[in-house]
Amino acid sequence: MNFVIDSSVKAVPVTVNVQEVPWNVALDAVLKANRLGVEANGNILRVATTEVLAKESETQKVLNDSRL
């Protein structure tokens, strides 16, 4: 997996100590605890704030609706 961190993400000090937890479950917990989300594209995960991802999703929806 490759990670791209959006400029909306500020420095977030995180300490994680997990055992026998899939990496994606641990990542989801860390992201949710810091109001961050992820957008997957192949083997690239883009991490951004939930606000940025929500705005982008709404913009994409408007664009898709206008094409119909």
Side-chain angles (χ1 to χ4, degrees), residues 3-67:
F3 291 85
V4 175
I5 308 302
D6 188 82
S7 62
S8 65
V9 177
K10 304 301 177 212
V12 180
V14 176
T15 300
V16 179
N17 183 10
V18 295
Q19 295 179 357
E20 297 184 31
V21 176
W23 70 268
N24 56 330
V25 173
L27 176 63
D28 286 343
V30 170
L31 293 175
K32 193 174 288 189
N34 291 285
R35 295 187 178 137
L36 300 172
V38 67
E39 177 183 69
N41 185 3
N43 69 342
I44 298 174
L45 296 179
R46 178 175 160 250
V47 177
T49 63
T50 53
E51 293 83 14
V52 165
L53 293 173
K55 286 179 187 175
E56 290 175 354
S57 177
E58 184 59 31
T59 300
Q60 190 60 49
K61 183 180 182 302
V62 169
L63 289 172
N64 290 343
D65 290 348
S66 69
R67 290 183 190 151

